[in-house]
Amino acid sequence: MLSAVIVLAIFGLVLAEAAPLIARVGPAAFFTDAGWQPTSGRFNLSPMLWGTLLTAAGALLLAGPVGVLTAVHGRFYAPPAWARVQRRVVELLAGIPSVVYGFWGLTVLVPLIARLAPPGPSLLAGILVLALMILPTVTLLADAALAAVPAEQLQGAAALGLGRWATVRGVALPAARAGIGTGVLLALGRAVGETMAVLMVCGNVVQVPESLADPVRTLAANVALEMAYAMGDHRAALFVAGALLTALAALLVALAAVVGRRHAHG
Amino acid sequence: MRTAERPRWRGLAAAGVVHGAALAVLGAFAWILGDLLVAGLGQVDWAFLTAPPQDAGRAGGVGPILASTGILLAICLVVAVPLGLGAAIFLAEFTPAEGRLGRLVRRSLDVLAGVPSIVFGLFGNVLFCKTLGLGFSLLSGGLTLACMALPLIIRTAEASLRAVPPGLRQSAVALGMSRTSVVRHLLLPAAAPGLLAGFVLGVGRALAETAALIFTSGYVDRLPESILDSGRALSVHIYDLSMNVPGGDHRAAASALVLVVALLAINGASALAMGRFGRRLGAR
Amino acid sequence: MSLRLEAVGLGLAYRGRAAFAGVDLAMEPGTLTAVVGPSGCGKTSFLACLNRLDELVPGAAVQGRVLLDGADVRGPAVDVVGLRRRVGMIFQRPTPFPLSIRRNLDLPLREHGVRDRAERAARAEAALRDVGLWAEVKDRLDRPALALSGGQQQRLCIARALALRPEVLLLDEPCSALDPLASGVVEDLVRDLGARFTRVVVTHNLAQARRIADQVAVFWVRDGVGRLVEVGPTAAIFEDPQDPDTAAYVRGIRG
Ligand SMILES: Nc1ncnc2c1ncn2[C@@H]1O[C@H](COP(=O)(O)OP(=O)(O)OP(=O)(O)O)[C@@H](O)[C@H]1O
Ligand SMILES: [Mg+2]
């Protein structure tokens, strides 16, 4: 009840701050204006939307396979004791603050990238840091999905003389597909909403990047950077960005719920 | 022979990839934590933990910042734990698992858990700082954190309440016990480990949060005099030092180390507490 | 004191699907009624109706009446908490609370308004003696109840019900989760509680029913609904069954 109220309150309040501006300039303005100069009435959010989507998608491309493989390792390849330790470690990693990842990216990763492909703060740095951040989430949820595969099915595969990898590929992964899908979507949601880590390593230039080495700015980073001093229409535009982010996140949660439900029905 | 050869070869390659992935993950994190230790450990001592920051944080310590962080957490817990527990009890005990109301609430909780923290920051800024007139203050920040921690706490608490064997409830009712005392004397103790885990998750999330605090509790790094003062959380301090203060990296590393160790300590303590609790109940 | 319990035209449906229906059965004060029949014929459901535990299941609808000492247990003046004190129930799986042995007995007593600590302790001890558990646990009352063996747990659950001084005891397959030795102990206990309580015992063990019951009620599924097909004194049911299904069942051919 309370939670429903809070959800409504969040949407309501964020939208209420954003609505007057949207009503005045029209929703299209946020994607077609000549640029992002909110103090002079230009509100184009699309470069930042691109920034958000590209960093999140890139991170997922990296973290998805690696996370699932790590989970497979824990469930099927590692000795049980080692797997337990590994799981515990990943759990702890999931709790490390994003600002710490950001700090590490800023002091270690960015200088490294600067040497290979200047300037350093870049889409690539953002993708790498985000991938590290969502890895534990992907791993834990994939692990839970694999753990839920009925033991009889695995035994059945073993009884047919299937090897370890054949069992994983032929039985375990298909059976855990929905659970892994849910996990990946939730991780993507986290990547989309992540603020600090990305803000610290991406360079925050408002542009649609042309290469991995170009700096970008994400929607969330934009809000964090400008909220402190924004006034009037500028502030309202930031709330539009916030509403956009919320809509994206809610969409992903809804998708995850759909995927998860299909799972429940077999 | 070829048919027998290929799968074996493939299995070996797959094993290599799988082991490689796991090693890479552990290696990457060992790298991060190792860096943090190397950069931070030399600076963390009692003076660092208690002294106020100087020269925008390049020197001095994090004393007032730890105090602000503690107050933020305390406010968050004081608000979120009773509310979260109440909501979870309501959900688990008084709404059927498949009912309309329960589903609606759970759905909205999932959405809430997925809302980016920066949006919570916007929300807290409007509601607590502006509408309720609390300004940039620890109270605003703590309440914002409470909103963030609530969905986590409610969902884990509900799950652990539902995990209590139904036989327990049934036999208690058969003994003529009322619903409130079933909840109070049986369900809450039986679910305690799960509840504790939920609180720890909530605290962890609150402690790790940065984005939502920047424009709710603010930047001020002095020792706060009341909860209506602005105060700087440890995570905000790390952000500020590394982004806005040239030459602040060392102190940022030390602060990050403190933050990570605090999180690990909370996790470890709760694991210990749960272990002890499990033994006391003589779980089979 | 034991009371007369009577089901009149009793039936229960889960979401419109009848589990059992049309049961007329009188349980005289101080007697032991064994309820037997194949799985799914509604024995547990029948027992649940007797102390209104069906109310825990959403969508369960009761027909007919249950009379305790002549008064309808669903009557407007009946308070359900008091009813459940007077009609105790023991489940198939032992269900001690995850608390100490002492708290297991203490909590329900407190709940039913026994304020005096000494009295609670006395009643707990008496109940534990009744179930023959006192000697085994008197030195470890503050240890977790879950550390007891299965048979001890089940006896603790019976003691917990006895401490409330019920007049009727309902036992749903109280021995089926126990090993033969523990099962024998609980069986003897249920028999030897004797005339102090009116007892209704669901069991799948016909030999057990024969050993302990005064009267046997046979449930059977007819057209998808559980029915009471035959009831009578134990000897009559086993030696001269009237219903063909009962006859086959007690001869061990079916069921
Ligand atoms: N909570 C419930 N919801 C829906 N249907 C139920 C429920 N409990 C029992 N039933 C149905 O009612 C019928 C009778 O069940 P009941 O448990 O009373 O049988 P029983 O005779 O006790 O069986 P058993 O000997 O296996 O314990 C069964 O068809 C069962 O599926
Ligand atoms: Mg039954």
Side-chain angles (χ1 to χ4, degrees), chain B residues 38-57:
Chain B
V38 170
L41 197 58
Q43 305 170 60
V44 180
D45 53 19
W46 184 245
F48 177 76
L49 293 178
T50 51
Q54 284 159 11
D55 189 14

Side-chain angles (χ1 to χ4, degrees), chain A residues 1 3 7 66 69-70 73 93 95 97 99 101 103-104 106-108 132 165 193 195-196 199-200 227 235 239 246 249, chain B residues 14 17-19 22 25 29 32 35 105 108-109 114 116 118-119 123 125-126 130 210 215 239 242 249 252-253 259 263:
Chain A
M1 198 90 62
S3 61
V7 170
V66 177
L69 284 177
T70 308
H73 177 260
L93 292 174
V99 68
Y101 285 106
F103 171 69
W104 180 80
L106 183 66
T107 52
V108 178
L132 279 173
W165 176 245
T195 312
M196 300 321 288
L199 165 66
M200 292 166 81
M227 187 63 194
R235 191 173 129 90
F239 277 86
T246 313
Chain B
V17 172
V18 168
H19 282 288
V25 170
F29 286 106
I32 298 184
D35 263 348
V105 175
S108 55
L109 278 174
I118 186 100
V119 176
F123 162 75
N125 179 276
V126 177
K130 297 271 148 63
T210 314
F215 36 85
Y239 164 66
S242 55
D249 281 359
L259 183 56
L263 277 168

Side-chain angles (χ1 to χ4, degrees), chain B residues 195-280:
Chain B
L195 300 178
L196 189 61
F199 300 154
V200 169
L201 268 179
V203 171
R205 181 150 186 208
L207 198 52
E209 186 47 42
T210 314
L213 290 178
I214 296 178
F215 36 85
T216 52
S217 68
Y219 269 100
V220 177
D221 61 3
R222 266 179 291 108
L223 189 66
E225 276 159 20
S226 83
I227 56 173
L228 291 175
D229 267 0
S230 168
R232 183 189 281 200
L234 197 53
S235 54
V236 174
H237 189 56
I238 299 168
Y239 164 66
D240 191 55
L241 277 183
S242 55
M243 289 294 280
N244 304 335
V245 181
D249 281 359
H250 298 289
R251 286 313 203 207
S255 308
L257 188 61
V258 172
L259 183 56
V260 169
V261 168
L263 277 168
L264 292 186
I266 291 175
N267 265 302
S270 72
L272 262 183
M274 271 183 257
R276 175 137 337 138
F277 200 89
R279 267 200 304 287
R280 216 186 74 212

